[in-house]
Amino acid sequence: MVARSIGLLGFQHLLCSFLFHTAWEVGSGQVHYSVSEEAKHGTFVGRIAQDLGLDVGDVVMRLFRVVSKGRRDYLEVNRQNGILFVNSRIDREELCGRNPVCRIHLEVIVDKPVQVFHVEVEIKDINDNPPVFSVTQKNLFISESSPLDSRFPLEGAWDEDIGENALLTYNLSPNEYFALDVKKKDEKMNSLTLVLKKVLDREETIEHHLLLIATDGGKPELTGTIQLLITVLDVNDNTPEFERMVYKVKLFENVPNETLVTKMNASDLDEGLNGEIFYSFTSDVSPNVQKNFHLDQVNGEIKIKGNIDFEETKLFEFQVEATDKGTPPLVGHCTVLIEILDINDNAPEVAVTSLLLPVREDAPPGTVIALISVSDSDSGANGQVTCSLSPPGPFTLVSTFRNYYSLVLEGQVDHETLQAYELVVIAKDSGMPALWTTASVSVNIGDVNDNAPAFEQTLYTVFVKENNPPGCHIFTVTASDPDAEENALVSYSLVERLVGVRPLSSYVSVHSESGKVYALQPLDHEELELLQFQVSAQDSGVPPLGNNVSLQVFVLDENDNAPVVLPPHAGLSPVTELVSHSVTVGHVVAKVRAVDADSGYNAWLSFELLSEVGVGRNPFRVGLYTGEISTTRALEEFDGPRQTLLVLVKDHGNPVLSATATVIVSLVASRQTLKTSSSDRAEVKEGVRKEESLVDINMYLILGICSVSSLLVLSLLFYVAIRCSAPLKGFYCPRKSTVMCSSDMGSLSYSQQQRPNVCSGEGAAKRDLMAFSPNFPSCLGYRGQQPEAVPEPSGKVLQ
């Protein structure tokens, strides 16, 4: 029979590789397969990619993978053809125990886009476990005085298979004394009883050897055996009897030690030692029963002595013997069934499987972030788990299948606002009281280049003194980018353009990393009053984003130009002026004219007459701001025929720069004056007429200055308004030399490109008048437009 069992077992393993059943249900959104346990490696289970509606060609590209929660890799997918096959040995009894339904739940995940499918593979039981008795031999002691039909209970066999494969039948080896009575106690067990059919005679046979065979209902069927050794005892003719054959108890798990489970009571009709009873477990009781229960031998009480856990054992079944003290002792038997009731003593368990971390801030709503599975080893309502997410935000939990959830992006996220979300998944069961477990999920937000560098201002005004050293630092521009890493790495560059005919980069440069702006050459206020340009800031993102800022650099004037004396007193040889002895006080002898290329106070000129050593009171003076040399008294004979006057011309800069002019005054008699050529007299008369007309010119000049000043104020307000609304792209303004014109008692400094030269002739003494050109650009030009041409200063002075 053993050889027959081995042959059938081999045939069974041969058929395992061909027995599988595949089914799938579209309505439930799942794919169901079935495969027999113990199937060989490589056994075909199903075309999973095809059954899920996926293109087999996309399996590799979309990162097709299978995740099995809490299981070994029993099943695997061939990523080349999308076929699910058996990867390792599957033992249904090891995997699911006595559960009637055994399933492996798989999560199939594909990317681009992320999709999650649920697959159930049912493991079909095969008859791979023979019936097993707890011991290989059972010893029975039966008195020879036992009456016919005496019954002796036996422990049945255990088959780890289920269904028909675990349906056991029993046979007893042929003999003339005993028969086997099999009755169904209830839906959970059978009752095996050895029945005495012939009176025993110890003198004839002391021991009987029987073989009990258990056969399951599998195909092929498997068997298990136990040896029964029956020893015939001599007269103790009354066996102890329990008041109940079966003691059924329901007990909650986790009850404390020393809790009373049940109390058994057996009686014996004999007297004396033959009627004294003690209780004990049968010799074949399982170690699990001995570990968790204590049986009092005297009073028959069963108490708890271990930890009773419903999740570990749901039912205890064992036998108790009542043995008298007779010679030989007689034994009575009863069965104890202890059903363990579940309480809510296990909190749910949460497992998080990350899929897409970090989450890009431009991820669309509906993006699956992570898979979350929950479980509870309790049963009924105690094992029903619901999940929630805290705190509320742009994420939500979506139930996908039973105790499986997806963490899904529900709204928009912004890396610049919050770089990471600390979420808490709360799993709570339905027990009374409810238990819950939390799991932390950290979701990092990945940055994308969605912010351009930004400057604090749209326009910066910088003032730089002229004659700066080459390469000096004049300003630093700084742009900030709220993005991260290379998306926030800013580099600076000039927006190249022409300044006149020269490129902007010949004047200034900007450091690409620090944003420091350098002047590459000395700047000259007389050549360039204002330089306007743009600096570009660009990040290192893909694609890069940028922004521009405008800079206007005002070149401040320094006193670097000395006054220049204009002809006729500009030569190396002094000019001789003829003056009659009869001229009156205040007569203008000559006029020294000078210009200064600087502006403002640096171009405001004053005149001073330097006295010669050894000369008495000088009869001449020079106008402080007009440069007119006039008499201070009547000329005398002792003044001499010839006077050399040295006129010092100074500006008001710091330091003061100056120039000198030499004028020789020759004193002549009145007759010699009358003998001058007619051309000289005409020239003098012309000068007198000019001096007389100068009074009218000054009046017009005052009105003109007031008008020009008003226009300048309006232009300045208009210019500021334009700058505040839309900054100019850049302009270049070459500045001409500022001309200083002198008159009798006053002077005027102005820019030739803004107003005509004005100069006063000889005439009566007047109050000094000064006007300074403002230090602002006189022309504007926009990007793409060349600046207007400005004439060079001619150096002429209007007579």
Side-chain angles (χ1 to χ4, degrees):
M1 180 175 295
V2 175
R4 176 176 174 270
S5 299
I6 295 175
L8 290 177
L9 183 60
F11 180 73
Q12 168 201 342
H13 283 291
L14 183 62
L15 290 178
C16 280
S17 61
F18 300 98
L19 295 178
F20 64 88
H21 174 68
T22 303
W24 67 292
E25 298 175 2
V26 177
S28 64
Q30 303 179 35
V31 176
H32 298 267
Y33 299 104
S34 64
V35 65
S36 297
E37 66 173 330
E38 304 292 345
K40 294 182 178 179
H41 173 76
T43 299
F44 173 88
V45 178
R47 301 182 183 277
I48 188 170
Q50 179 179 342
D51 293 340
L52 290 174
L54 301 176
D55 189 357
V56 177
D58 294 340
V59 167
V60 176
M61 183 178 65
R62 295 188 64 185
L63 300 179
F64 185 96
R65 58 194 184 276
V66 173
V67 178
S68 176
K69 175 184 175 297
R71 310 288 188 185
R72 298 205 310 261
D73 294 330
Y74 294 116
L75 303 171
E76 188 56 68
V77 172
N78 187 328
R79 296 190 179 181
Q80 303 300 322
N81 53 24
I83 292 178
L84 184 66
F85 62 92
V86 175
N87 185 46
S88 61
R89 173 181 174 271
I90 304 175
D91 186 350
R92 184 196 173 285
E93 289 71 34
E94 178 185 348
L95 191 63
C96 300
R98 297 282 298 174
N99 291 333
V101 178
C102 184
R103 295 188 181 97
I104 295 177
H105 296 280
L106 305 176
E107 292 175 356
V108 178
I109 305 169
V110 292
D111 292 338
K112 302 177 182 178
V114 175
Q115 290 180 282
V116 180
F117 303 93
H118 296 278
V119 178
E120 282 188 349
V121 179
E122 183 176 0
I123 309 303
K124 296 293 186 179
D125 183 51
I126 64 172
N127 194 24
D128 59 336
N129 292 282
V132 176
F133 290 90
S134 59
V135 295
T136 58
Q137 177 176 308
K138 183 174 179 61
N139 297 323
L140 297 175
F141 300 91
I142 301 176
S143 172
E144 64 177 349
S145 61
S146 298
L148 294 178
D149 296 326
S150 294
R151 305 176 68 87
F152 306 95
L154 299 176
E155 187 75 18
W158 178 265
D159 195 325
E160 292 184 354
D161 295 321
I162 62 171
E164 292 291 331
N165 296 330
L167 188 60
L168 303 180
T169 58
Y170 297 89
N171 294 298
L172 191 63
S173 60
N175 68 95
E176 59 181 338
Y177 289 95
F178 297 95
L180 185 64
D181 184 17
V182 181
K183 292 183 179 179
K184 192 173 183 62
K185 290 184 179 179
D186 52 31
E187 67 278 4
K188 297 182 179 179
M189 62 178 184
N190 291 329
S191 173
L192 297 181
T193 306
L194 194 64
V195 182
L196 182 62
K197 295 298 181 180
K198 183 178 179 180
V199 176
L200 298 175
D201 185 357
R202 185 178 181 277
E203 286 69 28
E204 180 179 347
T205 306
I206 298 176
E207 293 181 343
H208 297 270
H209 296 273
L210 303 177
L211 182 65
L212 179 60
I213 304 171
T215 305
D216 61 25
K219 299 295 184 181
E221 61 186 21
L222 300 178
T223 61
T225 60
I226 183 174
Q227 294 287 339
L228 301 179
L229 177 59
I230 302 173
T231 302
V232 181
L233 302 178
D234 205 7
V235 219
N236 184 7
D237 52 356
N238 289 292
T239 61
E241 293 183 359
F242 287 92
E243 60 183 4
R244 284 185 293 174
M245 292 301 297
V246 178
Y247 289 84
K248 292 184 178 181
V249 180
K250 291 185 177 182
L251 183 68
F252 282 105
E253 64 174 330
N254 297 335
V255 293
N257 286 341
E258 300 300 322
T259 299
L260 178 63
V261 177
T262 187
K263 178 177 172 58
M264 295 171 294
N265 186 26
S267 60
D268 194 321
L269 298 177
D270 294 326
E271 294 181 352
L273 293 177
N274 292 332
E276 293 182 9
I277 299 173
F278 64 92
Y279 302 91
S280 64
F281 294 119
T282 57
S283 59
D284 55 357
V285 71
S286 68
N288 192 32
V289 173
Q290 296 181 354
K291 181 183 71 173
N292 291 285
F293 300 99
H294 170 72
L295 175 59
D296 192 305
Q297 294 186 352
V298 177
N299 55 29
E301 291 180 347
I302 298 178
K303 293 183 179 181
I304 300 295
K305 74 170 184 178
N307 181 29
I308 306 300
D309 189 359
F310 172 84
E311 288 71 39
E312 183 177 313
T313 306
K314 298 176 176 57
L315 178 68
F316 291 92
E317 179 183 357
F318 54 90
Q319 290 185 342
V320 175
E321 296 178 340
T323 308
D324 61 23
K325 297 181 180 180
T327 304
L330 299 180
V331 180
H333 300 81
C334 74
T335 301
V336 179
L337 288 177
I338 303 175
E339 182 179 357
I340 307 302
L341 302 179
D342 182 45
I343 63 173
N344 194 22
D345 61 336
N346 291 281
E349 296 180 358
V350 180
V352 179
T353 303
S354 297
L355 289 181
L356 182 62
L357 289 176
V359 180
R360 287 171 56 93
E361 59 180 329
D362 60 350
T367 301
V368 177
I369 308 304
L371 294 180
I372 299 173
S373 60
V374 296
S375 60
D376 195 317
S377 54
D378 292 321
S379 63
N382 296 332
Q384 295 177 1
V385 182
T386 57
C387 274
S388 60
L389 189 66
S390 178
F395 301 95
T396 186
L397 284 179
V398 177
S399 178
T400 56
F401 171 73
R402 293 181 184 172
N403 289 334
Y404 292 89
Y405 295 83
S406 293
L407 180 61
V408 178
L409 178 64
E410 189 176 36
Q412 298 293 333
V413 290
D414 185 12
H415 174 81
E416 289 71 45
T417 303
L418 190 60
Q419 298 181 3
Y421 289 85
E422 297 298 330
L423 306 178
V424 177
V425 178
I426 304 172
K428 185 176 183 180
D429 61 28
S430 301
M432 294 297 292
L435 300 178
W436 64 85
T437 300
T438 60
S440 297
V441 180
S442 181
V443 180
N444 294 323
I445 306 302
D447 181 54
V448 298
N449 194 24
D450 57 347
N451 290 280
F455 294 93
E456 292 183 358
Q457 300 175 212
T458 58
L459 173 66
Y460 292 95
T461 301
V462 183
F463 296 90
V464 180
K465 290 185 177 181
E466 65 175 335
N467 302 323
N468 56 280
C472 73
H473 172 229
I474 61 175
F475 193 67
T476 300
V477 293
T478 302
S480 59
D481 194 320
D483 292 324
E485 297 178 353
E486 62 272 0
N487 293 333
L489 187 61
V490 180
S491 60
Y492 303 90
S493 62
L494 285 177
V495 178
E496 189 62 84
R497 54 177 288 269
L498 289 178
V499 179
V501 296
R502 296 172 59 185
L504 174 66
S505 56
S506 65
Y507 287 93
V508 293
S509 69
V510 61
H511 192 272
S512 61
E513 295 180 1
S514 65
K516 291 184 176 181
V517 181
Y518 299 93
L520 299 180
Q521 62 182 15
L523 300 177
D524 188 359
H525 174 79
E526 289 71 43
E527 176 189 349
L528 187 66
E529 285 188 357
L530 176 63
L531 178 63
Q532 180 159 332
F533 56 93
Q534 287 187 326
V535 174
S536 174
Q538 188 178 70
D539 59 31
S540 301
V542 179
L545 300 178
N547 206 346
N548 294 345
V549 67
S550 296
L551 275 77
Q552 55 182 14
V553 179
F554 285 94
V555 182
L556 303 180
D557 183 54
E558 287 189 330
N559 194 24
D560 59 344
N561 291 282
V564 177
V565 178
L566 297 177
H569 302 287
L572 296 177
S573 59
V575 176
T576 301
E577 301 288 346
L578 300 177
V579 179
S580 173
H581 277 284
S582 60
V583 295
T584 60
V585 176
H587 175 75
V588 176
V589 175
K591 184 171 185 176
V592 178
R593 298 177 178 86
V595 295
D596 195 315
D598 295 320
S599 63
Y601 281 93
N602 295 328
W604 183 18
L605 303 181
S606 63
F607 299 86
E608 180 183 342
L609 189 62
L610 300 179
S611 300
E612 294 184 356
V613 180
V615 179
R617 181 171 173 265
N618 198 327
F620 301 99
R621 73 175 183 89
V622 64
L624 181 60
Y625 299 113
T626 63
E628 293 180 345
I629 300 174
S630 60
T631 59
T632 59
R633 59 179 175 80
L635 300 177
E636 305 291 343
E637 290 293 336
F638 62 81
D639 289 327
R642 186 182 180 91
Q643 292 280 346
T644 301
L645 304 178
L646 186 61
V647 179
L648 178 66
V649 184
K650 300 187 297 183
D651 57 26
H652 287 73
N654 186 17
V656 176
L657 300 179
S658 63
T660 60
T662 303
V663 179
I664 298 176
V665 179
S666 180
L667 302 180
V668 296
S670 298
R671 294 176 182 178
Q672 290 178 334
T673 304
L674 295 175
K675 292 179 181 179
T676 56
S677 63
S678 59
S679 60
D680 292 338
R681 287 197 299 269
E683 183 179 353
V684 171
K685 291 179 181 179
E686 181 68 25
V688 172
R689 286 195 297 270
K690 289 182 180 179
E691 185 175 355
E692 291 174 350
S693 63
L694 185 58
V695 176
D696 297 331
I697 292 176
N698 284 338
M699 293 298 295
Y700 295 131
L701 182 59
I702 292 173
L703 295 175
I705 289 174
C706 293
S707 301
V708 170
S709 299
S710 300
L711 290 175
L712 285 175
V713 172
L714 293 175
S715 301
L716 180 59
L717 293 175
F718 180 69
Y719 172 76
V720 172
I722 291 177
R723 281 297 175 196
C724 293
S725 60
L728 295 176
K729 298 300 183 181
F731 62 86
Y732 165 76
C733 182
R735 182 182 180 276
K736 298 293 183 143
S737 301
T738 302
V739 179
M740 178 66 71
C741 293
S742 60
S743 63
D744 252 348
M745 298 297 291
S747 66
L748 172 67
S749 175
Y750 63 95
S751 295
Q752 289 182 348
Q753 63 268 35
Q754 292 181 346
R755 57 185 67 86
N757 294 334
V758 178
C759 182
S760 63
E762 296 179 356
K766 297 171 288 296
R767 184 175 56 187
D768 288 347
L769 173 66
M770 293 180 294
F772 300 95
S773 61
N775 189 15
F776 291 104
S778 59
C779 62
L780 300 177
Y782 298 92
R783 181 187 290 180
Q785 178 180 353
Q786 294 295 332
E788 296 179 359
V790 180
E792 293 292 333
S794 62
K796 293 183 179 180
V797 178
L798 297 179
Q799 297 293 328

